[in-house]
Amino acid sequence: MNQMAPFEDICKRADEEWRGLEQSPHPRLMVGSASCGRAAGAPAVLEAIEAELQRHRLEASVIQVGCLGLCYMEPLLDITKPGGPRIFYGDATPELASQLVRDYLVGDNPHPDLALGTMGDVGVEGIPKLFDLPMLKPQVRIVLKNCGHIDPESITHYIAQGGYHGFTSALEMGPEGAIEEVKRAGLRGRGGAGFPTWQKWKFCRNAPGDVKYLVCNADEGDPGAFMNRSVMEGDPHALLEGMLIAGYALGATEGFIYCRAEYPLAVHRLGIALRQAGELGLMGENILGSGFSFHIRIREGAGAFVCGEETALLASIEGKRGTPRPRPPFPAVKGLWGKPTNINNVETLSTLPHILREGAEWYSGQGSELSKGTKTFSLVGKVKRTGLIEIPMGSTLGDIIFGVGGGLVGDMEFKAAQTGGPSGGCLPSSALDLPIEYEALAQAGSIMGSGGLIVMDDYTCAVDLARFFLTFTKSESCGKCVPCRVGTGQMLQMLERFTRGEGKPGDIERLLALCDIVKNTSLCGLGQTAPNPVLTTVRYFREEYEEHIEKRYCRAA
């Protein structure tokens, strides 16, 4: 207990600072300033707020927060007056921000006609509760719990929400106890096929060798995917705490975050979080007097999609060209610099603090029998409410698209949804009742992947969709193995002939045979899954391929 006293002091100071913010006699304004908010104009909104506050000589706390998930309404602005509710406004502009400072902070008109929703015990007539909104009500926010609610550049904000208590719980359990807790929770990897997290840890922990490494795969490269980026931008300490827990369970003393350089804001905020954790003794040597030492370094990748594959990622960290190698040996036995290495993605690691803090039984109460917990998705495409969402495993595809997403833009007819990015598959309207589970998606010909979900209406051509993803995978192939290097190019040529109306009878069978060769003989996951968009579009939309050949006609125009 004496060793934990310093952490208790840290928590006490954090709680006092948070209470001071909540009970302040001055207003609090929070602006969504993740990449989506910044792209939509958050910097200009912040400038307008500061200028208007100075004009009226008002003192207020202006805080930049991460992505709340309502990306289609960014920039988001929320205002809390002393003793009042937290009121959210979407599509904020400099003009709206200035008006709200004048009318609500100087006056007392919260403009219910402009507000999205409220949070807090006190309501405002005419404004609904924020989490009663159709996009937010079905969600269960675990990984995204803090995103949009705390300053991601403040460790005290994170600790005041229970941060780093999961790590101290792991210290009390011991490494084997922490692994057992994750096993009982049923957590499976959130970056691919859903391998049990505890089992992956066990392989690495039991591998011979005194030096072991932990690597966070933050090389999120799927088109339309931004889940990992949003977590790192909105709650970076959750990732660091998850890495502490995993490193402790593995017996590792060093960890690496491999993040693509196209995520500069995520890298910036992770760097701040690392420095803050080190200053409080939550990172480095003999953490909290426990005898456990752990150091984390950030490595920026050049944006090669193939470096999302484990062995290619490790080669890139080592300073080599990012190309995969044959397995076995697997990284858990021979990974970074030939040492046992465990690799998890951002969402997997960021889930750990919640499991260790709240308990396995609490976490496994969400989700389905085989797929426990929740899953984040970036919901994009022809859907009305685009954004970052987190839903319980087992929710159906239709629940997400029509419940959370509100249906299709212009009330168009739903045609298909692509899950798992270029490595996933295209699921038709007959799959709307399909539960979002690892095994169910695999049986349908797709994968969970990291969580990209692209919605398409009936103006989308299935053949052209397959061509688009093949264009991507061909250009991202490292070229090391012949099946992927040559095969993806040949598949693309065939698809381009289809789209030009130059397909011939028998081409569909030839295309499927080529897919089979590439899938079964490629060296790594990029080539092995590259045919999936083709296989699923032929499986579910074969008539469109036949129309392109026989009628030189595309029903999607």
Side-chain angles (χ1 to χ4, degrees):
M1 292 300 294
N2 290 336
Q3 292 179 350
M4 301 304 291
F7 182 65
E8 291 170 1
D9 292 342
I10 291 170
C11 293
K12 183 179 179 181
R13 291 195 299 270
D15 289 341
E16 289 173 351
E17 182 177 322
W18 184 258
R19 281 198 305 272
L21 182 64
E22 289 191 316
Q23 299 171 6
S24 171
H26 307 294
R28 180 174 75 246
L29 298 90
M30 292 185 169
V31 179
S33 300
S35 290
C36 51
R38 292 188 173 197
V45 171
L46 287 163
E47 288 181 9
I49 290 171
E50 294 289 358
E52 201 67 31
L53 289 173
Q54 290 180 13
R55 188 173 296 115
H56 295 280
R57 298 181 180 179
L58 289 176
E59 187 175 344
S61 298
V62 181
I63 301 170
Q64 298 186 44
V65 296
C67 177
L68 187 65
L70 306 174
C71 301
Y72 74 109
M73 300 206 77
E74 291 283 2
L76 287 171
L77 164 66
D78 68 80
I79 302 175
T80 307
K81 287 186 75 170
R86 191 174 164 195
I87 305 178
F88 291 77
Y89 303 86
D91 294 318
T93 61
E95 294 74 21
L96 175 62
S98 298
Q99 179 184 3
L100 290 170
V101 171
R102 291 192 306 269
D103 294 354
Y104 184 33
L105 296 188
V106 178
D108 199 29
N109 178 10
H111 282 289
D113 55 318
L114 302 174
L116 280 177
T118 65
M119 283 182 65
D121 298 330
V122 181
V124 177
E125 186 176 353
I127 306 178
K129 292 289 186 180
L130 184 72
F131 281 90
D132 283 341
L133 295 178
M135 185 175 187
L136 294 174
K137 191 170 185 178
Q139 296 189 43
V140 176
R141 297 169 73 87
I142 296 176
V143 176
L144 302 180
K145 171 178 174 283
N146 291 328
C147 291
H149 299 293
I150 65 170
D151 181 353
E153 298 184 12
S154 170
I155 191 171
T156 54
H157 281 205
Y158 179 70
I159 293 173
Q161 312 308 312
Y164 290 101
H165 283 77
F167 171 59
T168 58
S169 294
L171 292 178
E172 293 171 359
M173 295 177 185
E176 293 293 344
I179 293 174
E180 182 62 26
E181 191 75 4
V182 174
K183 178 181 179 180
R184 291 197 305 113
L187 178 66
R188 298 171 65 174
R190 294 299 194 251
F195 194 79
T197 301
W198 73 271
Q199 200 168 358
K200 201 172 187 182
W201 286 6
K202 202 77 171 177
F203 289 149
C204 186
R205 180 170 177 81
N206 293 340
D210 295 331
V211 177
K212 295 184 170 83
Y213 294 107
L214 170 67
V215 173
C216 170
N217 182 353
D219 192 58
E220 184 177 48
D222 292 0
F226 50 85
M227 302 75 56
N228 294 344
R229 187 199 73 205
S230 297
V231 172
M232 290 186 289
E233 291 177 352
D235 197 12
H237 283 283
L239 173 57
L240 301 190
E241 184 181 2
M243 292 187 71
L244 283 174
I245 293 167
Y248 177 67
L250 295 168
T253 57
E254 191 168 3
F256 291 86
I257 300 173
Y258 185 82
C259 183
R260 52 184 44 231
E262 292 95 332
Y263 287 178
L265 183 59
V267 171
H268 172 71
R269 288 180 172 169
L270 283 169
I272 291 173
L274 276 173
R275 288 194 297 273
Q276 291 174 340
E279 289 168 359
L280 292 182
L282 292 164
M283 194 72 63
E285 297 295 320
N286 191 25
I287 300 170
L288 298 178
S290 65
F292 170 60
S293 300
F294 196 71
H295 299 266
I296 296 176
R297 301 181 188 179
I298 300 172
R299 289 287 184 269
E300 294 183 55
F305 181 67
V306 73
C307 286
E309 194 278 336
E310 291 186 342
T311 59
L313 184 155
L314 297 178
S316 182
I317 292 177
E318 293 173 347
K320 303 172 185 175
R321 184 184 175 198
T323 57
R325 62 167 173 77
R327 298 181 296 177
F330 290 93
V333 176
K334 187 177 181 181
L336 199 59
W337 292 295
K339 305 297 183 183
T341 304
N342 181 81
I343 305 169
N344 293 121
N345 87 327
V346 172
E347 185 176 349
T348 307
L349 292 165
S350 298
T351 303
L352 296 172
H354 305 282
I355 292 175
L356 272 294
R357 184 175 65 245
E358 304 294 341
E361 186 176 348
W362 166 83
Y363 183 77
S364 62
Q366 298 292 339
S368 62
E369 184 61 32
L370 295 177
S371 299
K372 302 292 186 183
T374 60
K375 180 73 187 76
T376 62
F377 288 94
S378 55
L379 184 59
V380 297
K382 299 296 182 68
V383 66
K384 290 179 181 177
R385 298 191 284 260
T386 57
L388 178 68
I389 66 172
E390 183 174 2
I391 52 97
M393 290 281 206
S395 303
T396 68
L397 191 63
D399 291 338
I400 297 173
I401 295 170
F402 291 95
V404 178
L408 275 67
V409 174
D411 294 321
M412 299 295 293
E413 183 179 346
F414 170 78
K415 179 171 186 174
Q418 179 81 12
T419 69
S423 301
C426 185
L427 303 176
S429 57
S430 60
L432 285 173
D433 292 329
L434 184 76
I436 301 299
E437 300 171 328
Y438 292 103
E439 284 76 16
L441 285 172
Q443 289 173 7
S446 190
I447 62 172
M448 188 85 68
S450 58
L453 182 56
I454 304 173
V455 179
M456 292 160 277
D457 62 21
D458 56 0
Y459 276 88
T460 302
C461 171
V463 181
D464 193 55
L465 177 73
R467 182 200 59 79
F468 167 78
F469 281 113
L470 253 297
T471 301
F472 180 84
T473 49
K474 176 185 177 294
S475 66
E476 292 294 336
S477 172
C478 72
K480 184 174 183 177
C481 73
V482 173
C484 181
R485 182 180 71 244
V486 178
T488 54
Q490 291 180 335
M491 284 192 291
L492 179 60
Q493 289 175 10
M494 294 185 73
L495 289 168
E496 287 175 339
R497 287 204 302 272
F498 281 121
T499 59
R500 292 195 302 266
E502 299 172 2
K504 301 176 182 177
D507 273 355
I508 297 176
E509 287 69 27
R510 283 186 283 272
L511 179 62
L512 292 175
L514 184 56
C515 286
D516 189 59
I517 293 171
V518 174
K519 190 177 185 71
N520 292 311
T521 60
S522 291
L523 175 61
C524 81
L526 187 150
Q528 292 162 9
T529 59
N532 284 351
V534 178
L535 292 171
T536 51
T537 51
V538 172
R539 176 178 173 180
Y540 296 118
F541 301 99
R542 188 183 181 104
E543 69 278 6
E544 291 193 30
Y545 282 83
E546 293 171 345
E547 286 173 355
H548 278 71
I549 294 173
E550 297 169 6
K551 302 179 181 178
R552 306 290 190 266
Y553 167 75
C554 176
R555 64 177 65 183

